[in-house]
């Protein structure tokens, strides 16, 4: 009888923690944000057409074979003397088998001979399993089996104990010389490249395109893999090193120039995406200048879209809208671009309205002051400050009119400027604003007659 297992997403750390450090002095840690949708969110081209496929529901955990392994081997094909294979679902014929230096996602279950329940299964953990080939992170037999498969393929393997847990095993859970049946599905894989390969190039060869180009491609693949895992700083470093190495090369012919230009366009576009994710819009705009040069003034829709985001972050809303409109001209049916244009139009209208209001007030207070034009970002900031001031003063007035003697709130909820405004308003209304000596985050607004122990 099948069981239902609820799926969950475990949060893994990039580096392991030491328990002794944790209990003695505390430690800082960083969550590994590996997620297959990062590439889509960033707009990076994916190597895969299948990585976003829905998980297969209802896959049974029961062993597909409960008789002797010798009988099953007779129905399988021999890969080598240690691995036998039977394909139960054909993989995508337009994709190669899983290569070395790839990040592969699989579902698997392992069974001992004659047992119906798995001794290990990714399904029991409610998630697919990811690993890098060529790194020795999984048992040798399982990796060899996976390396024989294509994306979407499902297969069954009998793997010799020699490629699993050896002659001794690990009693009582793993018997000595225990062969195993594995049921495996390869969901997809992506190449991860070699981030350090370029360092191995001799100094005298670092200006030779045919030597540098393959290593730049490896850096590009490593950067894309870092993006998918949410490691934007690592991705930026990889892309930057690839750009630098290619720009340093001497070109022997037109074909090398074409390949260099194509790769530089891809790398600069990806850098724009990563810089926007890292909140570095100025750098994204610098990459756009390089792209305009490389494309002879005809950047791609993707590049224009990222330029729009960078300019919007810099407060250049009119320029941002113009970039979005150029992107839309290249892809009129793209809903994401249309949504950004609608959002930008609303923001521009809001800032123009705020601008008229602020200037009207400024002129009414002092007509003699010179007319200093402010940017939309400055006007937005002033409008937000005024809105916060009005709301906070309203809250303070309502507090004064209640029977409550004090009210507490989180200091982290407010920026430094908003905190200063709150302090000024408390003083204006003869109220006290105190910081808790025990909980540093807790602020207390109280009426004058409240005393604290």
């Amino acid at each position: 009888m099948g069981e239902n297992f609820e799926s969950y997403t475990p949060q893994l750390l990039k580096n392991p923690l030491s328990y002794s450090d944790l209990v003695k002095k505390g430690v800082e840690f960083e969550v590994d944000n590996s997620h297959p949708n990062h590439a889509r969110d960033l707009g990076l081209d994916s190597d895969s057409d299948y990585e976003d496929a829905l998980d297969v529901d209802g896959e049974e955990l029961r062993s597909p074979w409960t008789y002797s392994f010798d009988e099953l081997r007779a129905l399988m094909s021999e890969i080598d003397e240690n691995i036998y294979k039977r394909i139960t679902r054909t993989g995508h014929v337009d994709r190669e088998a899983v290569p070395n230096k790839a990040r592969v996602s699989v579902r698997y279950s392992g069974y001992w001979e004659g047992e119906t329940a798995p001794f290990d299964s990714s399904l029991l953990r409610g998630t697919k399993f990811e690993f890098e080939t060529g790194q020795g992170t999984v048992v040798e037999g399982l990796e060899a089996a996976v390396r024989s498969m294509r994306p979407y393929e499902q297969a069954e393997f009998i793997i010799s104990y020699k490629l699993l847990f050896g002659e001794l095993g690990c009693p009582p859970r793993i018997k000595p010389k225990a062969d195993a049946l594995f049921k495996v599905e390869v969901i997809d894989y992506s190449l991860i490249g070699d981030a350090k390969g370029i360092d191995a190039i001799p100094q005298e060869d670092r200006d030779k395109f045919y030597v540098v180009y393959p290593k730049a491609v490896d850096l590009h693949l490593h950067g894309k893999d870092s993006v998918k895992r949410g490691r934007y700083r690592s991705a930026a470093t990889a892309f930057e090193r690839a750009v630098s190495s290619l720009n340093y090369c001497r070109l022997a012919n037109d074909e090398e120039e074409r390949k260099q230009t194509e790769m530089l366009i891809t790398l600069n576009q990806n850098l724009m995406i990563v810089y926007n994710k890292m909140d570095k819009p100025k750098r994204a705009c610098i990459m756009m200048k390089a792209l305009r040069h490389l494309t002879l003034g005809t950047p791609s829709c993707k590049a224009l879209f990222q330029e729009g985001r960078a300019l919007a972050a810099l407060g250049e809303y009119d320029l941002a809208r113009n970039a979005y409109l150029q992107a839309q001209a290249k892809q009129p049916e793209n809903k994401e671009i249309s949504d950004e244009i609608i959002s930008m139009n609303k923001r521009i209208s809001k800032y123009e309205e705020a601008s008229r209001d602020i200037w009207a007030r400024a002129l009414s207070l002092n007509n003699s002051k010179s007319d200093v034009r402010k940017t939309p970002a400055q006007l937005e900031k002033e409008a937000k400050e005024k809105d916060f001031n009005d709301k906070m003063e309203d809250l303070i007035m309502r507090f004064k009119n209640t029977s409550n003697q004090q009210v507490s709130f989180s200091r982290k909820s407010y920026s430094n400027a908003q905190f200063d405004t709150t302090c000024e308003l408390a003083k204006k209304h003869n109220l006290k604003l105190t910081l808790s000596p025990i909980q540093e985050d807790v602020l207390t607004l109280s009426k004058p007659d409240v005393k604290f122990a």
Side-chain angles (χ1 to χ4, degrees), residues 370-438:
S370 60
D371 184 14
V372 179
R373 183 173 178 78
K374 298 182 180 180
T375 67
Q378 290 174 319
L379 296 174
E380 179 188 20
K381 180 181 177 182
E382 290 179 359
K384 286 182 177 179
E385 289 174 351
K386 181 182 180 303
D387 182 60
F388 175 80
N389 187 298
D390 293 343
K391 288 180 179 179
M392 182 56 70
E393 186 153 26
D394 180 60
L395 287 173
I396 288 175
M397 291 301 298
R398 282 192 282 170
F399 167 64
K400 287 183 67 176
N401 294 329
T402 66
S403 59
N404 297 330
Q405 295 299 307
Q406 65 184 58
V407 61
S408 297
F409 52 91
S410 172
R411 167 67 179 86
K412 292 180 181 179
S413 301
Y414 302 97
S415 66
N416 291 336
Q418 291 174 337
F419 175 67
D420 292 340
T421 298
T422 304
C423 291
E424 292 174 3
L425 290 173
K427 183 177 180 181
K428 173 183 174 182
H429 292 279
N430 195 29
L431 298 174
K432 291 197 300 183
L433 190 64
T434 56
L435 184 65
S436 170
I438 300 174

Side-chain angles (χ1 to χ4, degrees), residues 284-324:
C285 290
I286 292 172
M287 294 303 102
M288 188 58 171
K289 290 182 179 179
L291 279 171
R292 290 188 186 280
H293 174 73
L294 289 166
T295 61
L296 303 179
T298 57
S300 68
C301 174
K302 181 192 296 185
L304 289 165
F305 182 78
Q306 293 300 322
E307 183 185 34
R309 284 189 167 173
L311 290 168
L314 292 169
E316 299 290 349
Y317 302 119
D318 288 327
L319 294 176
R321 178 170 57 181
N322 184 54
Y324 286 137

